[in-house]
Amino acid sequence: KGMNKEQVGQILRLGLAFNRFVGGLYTRFSPDFVIPNLTRDRTEAFVNAIAKMSPVRALRVLNPAAGIGTLTRNVLPENLSNRIPRTARDIENDAMYKEFVEAGGQTGGLGLSTIKDVEKNIEKLAERLDQPTKSKVRYFNGFIRGVNEIVENSTRFQTYKQGRMNGMTPQQAALAARDSSFDPQLQGSRGDTLRALYLFSNPAIQGSKNFLRSMKNPKVALGVMSALTSTTYLIDQYNKSIDPNY
């Protein structure tokens, strides 16, 4: 896997580095990215899940809060989260999360390509600082990484969980989780070239591919079109109630 990946030239490497930096500013270090991205991921995962599981299970993927608590316990450093499960459901969810990771359902997210770059820069900075400041930098580094991992993987974990409850094997549920949204570990042999030329090219390509693949299923197409039509009608009626000449 990845053996046929093309190596980009010097100019494209500069473009790739620049796009990684800009991508990090737009995503990981942007305060207004987290919530909209979570909503977008859940909506996309719901559409893709309809083709793989029952509508009821797929609908539960939409809940933006689902999975957040489990990932918080298992991802953030101990001094930032309470790792002790409080209820039987917490214990069950923690076991499911461990299975989710072992089955390969976990990936990075939209800003994954910038995580290691940011960590390297922070580590280099930390090496030049005294011990107290170094601890603070590492603390901040772990916090940023943990928060973004929670947001990016909570949707995949929820998809995995609902898939398992729908009767899927761990491998089937892991594949559904990875296909629920953009998978940064899939980029093709010329992925670096595309990412150097076009910011967020991989998410754009994968998002369109997954949506079109899901829409081939008549059940998915009917549900999506019905939802869009209903939403458009309701918005139109609301606008008319405010302005009859709308």
Side-chain angles (χ1 to χ4, degrees), residues 60 63 70 73 85-97 157 161 165:
R60 292 180 179 176
N63 182 2
T70 301
R73 284 194 305 275
R86 297 182 178 181
T87 65
R89 177 172 293 182
D90 288 346
I91 296 175
E92 180 182 345
N93 285 334
D94 287 353
M96 182 73 74
Y97 176 78
F157 172 65
K161 178 181 177 180
M165 296 179 72

Side-chain angles (χ1 to χ4, degrees), residues 98-107 160 170 174-175 177-178 183 185:
K98 182 178 179 180
E99 181 187 277
F100 161 73
V101 174
E102 292 175 348
Q106 177 175 257
T107 69
Y160 179 89
L175 181 60
R178 292 176 70 97
D183 186 348
Q185 296 183 16

Side-chain angles (χ1 to χ4, degrees), residues 203-223:
I205 293 171
Q206 286 196 43
S208 300
K209 180 196 71 174
N210 291 337
F211 179 77
L212 292 175
R213 180 177 57 195
S214 296
M215 289 294 285
K216 289 181 179 180
N217 187 316
K219 179 177 66 174
V220 178
L222 179 61

Side-chain angles (χ1 to χ4, degrees), residues 175-197:
L175 181 60
R178 292 176 70 97
D179 287 343
S180 65
S181 183
F182 158 61
D183 186 348
Q185 296 183 16
L186 298 178
Q187 55 178 298
S189 61
R190 299 185 179 181
D192 284 347
T193 300
L194 290 173
R195 290 191 294 125
L197 296 173

